[in-house]
Amino acid sequence: MSAINRFNALPRSITRPLRCPYEGTAVLQTSRFNKGTAYPNDERQLFKLNGLLPPNIQTLEEQVQRAYQQYSSRSDDLAKNTFMASMKAQNEVLFYKLLQTHLKEMFSIIYTPTEGDAIENYSRLFRKPEGCFLNIRDQDSIDSNLAQFGNEEDIDYIVVTDGEEILGIGDQGVGGILISVAKLVITTLCAGIHPARQLPVILDCGTNNEGLLKDDLYLGLRQSRYQGKEYDEFVDRFVQSARKRFPNAYIHFEDFGLSNAKRILEKYQSDIPCFNDDIQGTGCVTLAAMMAALHVSQVSMEDVRVVVFGSGTAGTGIADQIADTIATETNKPKTEASKQIWCIDKPGLLLKSMAEKLTPAQTPFAREDTEWPQGQQNDLLSVIQNVKPHVLIGTSTKPKAFTEEIIREMAKHIHRPIVFPLSNPTRLHEAQPKDLFEWTDGRALVATGSPFPPVEFNGVKYDIAECNNSTCFPGIGLGAVLSRSRLVSKKMLVAAVEALKTRSPALEDPNKPLLPDVEDVREISVDIAAAVIKCSLSEGLAQQKEIPSDDSELREWIRAQMWEAVYRPLVKS
């Protein structure tokens, strides 16, 4: 019996016909059921579509060809983004099939950096609402608002944001709903999370963006952000309502502000299956790239020295993930592992004497003042000179911060300097890959936060690895959803990192990228989900029954539940 037949009784099986409760124009106006010109004759008859469609029945591939021509005619990236949003609202399958067919070209259009432009212009480009809008002034309606999106078995994956720190462009208020939408598109595209079983949420707490507050067209609460007790109560009421309404749902926190992101994650991660992509996802994918680079440079976790430039949510998340892994691999206490990491922020190197100015996420990485004598400079160049790091990671959103002087100083002491300028969007990168190769005589091992073209140096072309969270967080979510894991543990994240690192092309050829290409992401997500599920089982966290124990069978079980962009037969509901 084939794997598909064995697993077609599963609730998320992709092989069964789709039940449709509509007919006539209502079918065509529902993105989930709309097939456009691809309805076969029997469905046209059954759902009363004759006379509503041209007679020529086309394949999905022919529709993709037409849609791509329309997409290509758009004048700029933002117009292309808007076109894709419109298509998603019209025909779900065609939207995803077009993306899959032209994934590498379109990824930057539907996500960073173009999605940032769409978010900044949300109130001006607004056409049709998508997702759940909760506002802090109406907390008593949270449960009834969530109830509009289904019953307890209907939602697997929730992405929620408060819009305070979006994609390196800061506070975008209610426009943050689009980052929740975009993240869920990626979970479907990259890991087959069913689009009908996910929910994007915005917690509208106001905004401190003066431009939005003064904009007559702004659609969110026109007031400064709520903080303190009322804010915390709002977040908690959402979490508790979401867990009550959708008890099996995995909650993904996205783009919360620096003062809130880590403490919210820490508050809930020991009680519910939740995840913060800015902290854990960024940490996982960066760590996978770093571990591959350490393999190439033959530096051990025991000895590695890391400088993180930019100690916000992403920077401290990366530092925390690295410290966890050093501690795990060397059997050191995490406090000792953290001493192999030097974090720098606006005041310079983080020191314990800055106690009141440090966030909770920064505090574990503050150095003793005695290590840094009074009067000694604590800027990036001085830290590089003193620490002689193997790894330099940029999450500062400070463009061109990794100067020629700084990189050449690093390369004096390290044979294969590992340099990751990760800030998004591209204009905020700390350095250009081509400069890093030039300043290190081609010795640098580079990964970036956005896509860059290949670099040619001394007649050799090098593809640049992108530390794209999309190769990691969808697979983690898929594993947690399918196993119905009670929590997302640190061991599950380590398993995900190992699975991603194993896919690194650089392990076979040191001139290849440190991370796999996003075009391979569906199978990468299977690898990661399998690793996460096995870890969840070993820790006693998995609640799903009858998960296959055989590795190959487990992978087929996972694939059988990954949504695909194909037109399934429709039957009357």
Side-chain angles (χ1 to χ4, degrees), residues 112 120 165-172 255 278 397 423-425 427-428:
T112 183
E120 283 189 290
E165 195 58 54
I166 300 288
L167 290 177
I169 57 175
D171 188 343
Q172 298 300 318
D255 286 350
D278 309 292
T397 67
S423 291
N424 282 320
R427 59 184 168 79
L428 300 180

Side-chain angles (χ1 to χ4, degrees), residues 15 59 101 131 134 145 200 207 221 226 234 237 330 369 388 423 450 502 554 559:
T15 60
T59 65
T101 306
L134 303 176
N145 290 342
T207 179
L221 291 180
Y226 282 81
F234 182 36
R237 288 188 71 169
T330 64
D369 287 63
K388 301 176 178 59
S423 291
S450 292
T502 301
L554 173 61
R559 290 188 187 98

Side-chain angles (χ1 to χ4, degrees), residues 134-154:
L134 303 176
N135 87 73
I136 197 167
R137 291 183 188 169
D138 189 21
Q139 298 190 38
D140 291 340
S141 298
I142 291 175
D143 189 62
S144 60
N145 290 342
L146 290 173
Q148 298 181 84
F149 294 90
N151 299 316
E152 64 177 36
E153 295 295 331
D154 292 338

Side-chain angles (χ1 to χ4, degrees), residues 119 122 130-133 161 173-182 200-202:
I119 292 169
Y122 175 73
E130 182 174 7
C132 181
F133 296 80
T161 186
V174 78
I177 187 64
L178 290 187
I179 196 62
S180 295
V181 171
V201 178
I202 179 72

Side-chain angles (χ1 to χ4, degrees), residues 411-426:
K412 277 185 195 176
H413 310 286
I414 304 299
H415 177 58
R416 298 298 303 268
I418 300 167
V419 187
F420 295 171
L422 301 181
S423 291
N424 282 320
T426 308

Side-chain angles (χ1 to χ4, degrees), residues 122-260:
Y122 175 73
S123 294
R124 295 181 173 275
L125 296 175
F126 181 86
R127 292 181 181 175
K128 182 180 180 181
E130 182 174 7
C132 181
F133 296 80
L134 303 176
N135 87 73
I136 197 167
R137 291 183 188 169
D138 189 21
Q139 298 190 38
D140 291 340
S141 298
I142 291 175
D143 189 62
S144 60
N145 290 342
L146 290 173
Q148 298 181 84
F149 294 90
N151 299 316
E152 64 177 36
E153 295 295 331
D154 292 338
I155 299 295
D156 288 332
Y157 201 122
I158 297 171
V159 175
V160 59
T161 186
D162 70 353
E164 186 173 5
E165 195 58 54
I166 300 288
L167 290 177
I169 57 175
D171 188 343
Q172 298 300 318
V174 78
I177 187 64
L178 290 187
I179 196 62
S180 295
V181 171
K183 284 288 184 175
L184 287 170
V185 166
I186 290 169
T187 66
T188 298
L189 189 65
C190 299
I193 300 292
H194 288 231
R197 299 181 62 84
Q198 57 190 26
L199 177 61
V201 178
I202 179 72
L203 302 179
D204 192 346
C205 309
T207 179
N208 293 333
N209 184 326
E210 288 298 322
L212 295 179
L213 291 173
K214 294 175 181 176
D215 186 349
D216 291 339
L217 296 181
Y218 178 60
L219 291 167
L221 291 180
R222 198 183 302 276
Q223 64 175 67
S224 298
R225 280 190 172 272
Y226 282 81
Q227 298 176 344
K229 183 180 178 182
E230 195 163 7
Y231 173 87
D232 289 344
E233 288 176 350
F234 182 36
V235 173
D236 191 62
R237 288 188 71 169
F238 159 72
V239 171
Q240 301 309 328
S241 292
R243 291 297 295 165
K244 180 181 176 182
R245 176 63 55 181
F246 309 117
N248 300 324
Y250 169 91
I251 297 180
H252 170 141
F253 297 109
E254 182 70 27
D255 286 350
F256 282 74
L258 177 60
S259 62
N260 295 318

Side-chain angles (χ1 to χ4, degrees), residues 198-341:
Q198 57 190 26
L199 177 61
V201 178
I202 179 72
L203 302 179
D204 192 346
C205 309
T207 179
N208 293 333
N209 184 326
E210 288 298 322
L212 295 179
L213 291 173
K214 294 175 181 176
D215 186 349
D216 291 339
L217 296 181
Y218 178 60
L219 291 167
L221 291 180
R222 198 183 302 276
Q223 64 175 67
S224 298
R225 280 190 172 272
Y226 282 81
Q227 298 176 344
K229 183 180 178 182
E230 195 163 7
Y231 173 87
D232 289 344
E233 288 176 350
F234 182 36
V235 173
D236 191 62
R237 288 188 71 169
F238 159 72
V239 171
Q240 301 309 328
S241 292
R243 291 297 295 165
K244 180 181 176 182
R245 176 63 55 181
F246 309 117
N248 300 324
Y250 169 91
I251 297 180
H252 170 141
F253 297 109
E254 182 70 27
D255 286 350
F256 282 74
L258 177 60
S259 62
N260 295 318
K262 188 172 179 64
R263 67 184 188 85
I264 289 173
L265 177 64
E266 289 180 342
K267 179 176 180 178
Y268 297 108
Q269 65 183 353
S270 60
D271 296 321
I272 66 172
C274 64
F275 181 84
N276 185 304
D277 190 42
D278 309 292
I279 297 172
Q280 295 164 301
T282 301
C284 285
V285 72
T286 305
L287 179 58
M290 189 185 95
M291 290 173 72
L294 293 177
H295 174 87
V296 172
S297 59
Q298 299 183 325
V299 175
S300 70
M301 277 290 186
E302 178 82 35
D303 300 323
V304 69
R305 298 183 298 276
V306 181
V307 169
V308 178
F309 182 67
S311 300
T313 303
T316 54
I318 291 168
D320 201 51
Q321 199 78 33
I322 293 171
D324 278 337
T325 303
I326 293 172
T328 300
E329 292 206 0
T330 64
N331 292 317
K332 291 180 180 179
K334 188 172 177 179
T335 51
E336 286 300 306
S338 298
K339 292 179 180 178
Q340 293 176 230
I341 304 166

